[in-house]
Amino acid sequence: MEKNSIPRKTSFREFLKRFPNDATCLEHMMTVRYGHRHTCGKCGVMDATFHRLENRKAYECAHCGNHVYPCAGTIFEKSRTPLTLWFFAIFLFTTTRHGVSGMELHRQLGVTRKTGYRMGQQIRELMTKADVKKFLSGHVELDEAYIGGRRAGKPGRGASGKTILMGLKERGGYIRAEVIPNAGTDALADVVRRNVKRGSIISTDEWKGYNLLKYRGFQHATVNHSEKQYAVTDDLGNRVHVNGVENFWKLFKSSVRSTHIHLSERHMQKYVNEFTFRQNYREMGNAMFDVLIAAV
């Protein structure tokens, strides 16, 4: 698949055809988590056959009668919400560009507001679990974002009462974002140390909090936004800019404005993880849904 070729996502009609009822959803869970033929955990028979039990969300070993519950240990285990609604909620999260609010789940699924909010938060935690866990390398862009709406007083990095997020974008690769306590050197360097491979090239703006990166095992280059400088070529021929991560923040902020009334600092990391997951897996199209189901 070409890098810029994003496959078509599943339509609602195709989704209904694939998962028309709870039985097909449970069947899919069994296939993904165990398979209908696998080594029984009780009798030890290899390639044992498992059959669905009536009126129970379980499968039975044909040799010893041991029961396997495909939803055990997942976000579906103790939920009284039908599997079809859970699957549809995950479908909405993987097919929408700007995310889904708890109120939208409440309206679309016909569940209570509390249930819609809880389902949304659990799906975001699932996205965090399923997202890529690896060091960024090569050429990495860094930039912070300040979330909290318009406020009186000093703008930008001096603004008070806002949640500070730091974004890290690997050129041609993955993106990460974390909530940080402040934009000081120690906080910024700690995020870089935990997420970026030493020796990588790092592009930032002129903020002084990044100045010590070149002494910590990274090749650091900057663009001076205060001088209207947005892209330059350094002495080694590297194109220095932070346009990739800034584009991500632009999408995230517009999504927040169009989908959510307010995001609390307490849950901010879950929401930004949702968007980094969607960005990292956007080229997978239909498979994005299966990635989440496999991670439950």
Side-chain angles (χ1 to χ4, degrees), residues 233-248:
T233 302
D234 65 12
D235 296 336
L236 299 177
N238 299 311
R239 193 63 174 165
V240 181
H241 62 76
V242 291
N243 297 338
V245 68
E246 285 186 334
N247 286 340
F248 172 77

Side-chain angles (χ1 to χ4, degrees), residues 38-207:
H38 65 269
T39 301
C40 179
K42 183 176 181 180
C43 66
V45 173
M46 298 180 64
D47 204 27
T49 302
F50 286 79
H51 304 287
R52 171 74 192 278
L53 293 175
E54 292 186 11
N55 302 321
R56 300 185 72 176
K57 295 181 180 180
Y59 287 78
E60 182 180 65
C61 175
H63 292 270
C64 67
N66 181 47
H67 292 177
V68 173
Y69 293 83
C71 294
T74 73
I75 60 176
F76 312 135
E77 181 178 5
K78 296 181 180 180
S79 175
R80 288 180 290 183
T81 304
L83 280 177
T84 47
L85 295 188
W86 271 110
F87 273 45
F88 182 52
I90 295 174
F91 167 78
L92 290 176
F93 267 83
T94 58
T95 54
T96 55
R97 179 179 173 84
H98 293 294
V100 186
S101 67
M103 279 298 295
E104 185 66 18
L105 291 178
H106 157 64
R107 290 189 290 265
Q108 292 273 6
L109 305 182
V111 297
T112 64
R113 294 184 182 183
K114 182 178 180 180
T115 297
Y117 175 79
R118 174 179 56 80
M119 291 174 72
Q121 294 293 51
Q122 287 181 294
I123 294 172
R124 291 184 185 96
E125 291 175 359
L126 194 60
M127 287 177 156
T128 302
K129 178 182 176 182
D131 208 353
V132 179
K133 305 294 190 300
K134 58 171 287 187
F135 275 103
L136 305 180
S137 60
H139 199 144
V140 181
E141 303 173 17
L142 309 182
D143 191 43
E144 320 102 80
Y146 293 74
I147 310 298
R150 295 184 180 275
R151 297 172 184 268
K154 189 175 180 180
R157 289 188 171 98
S160 61
K162 293 193 176 186
T163 303
I164 309 174
L165 298 170
M166 181 179 177
L168 308 91
K169 175 72 170 67
E170 179 182 291
R171 295 269 177 92
Y174 299 110
I175 189 165
R176 300 271 176 76
E178 288 191 18
V179 175
I180 55 177
N182 56 69
T185 299
D186 291 340
L188 297 176
D190 178 61
V191 177
V192 175
R193 177 184 57 81
R194 289 186 286 102
N195 291 279
V196 184
K197 185 178 180 180
R198 283 184 177 273
S200 299
I201 303 169
I202 293 182
S203 288
T204 71
D205 59 20
E206 74 280 11
W207 174 239

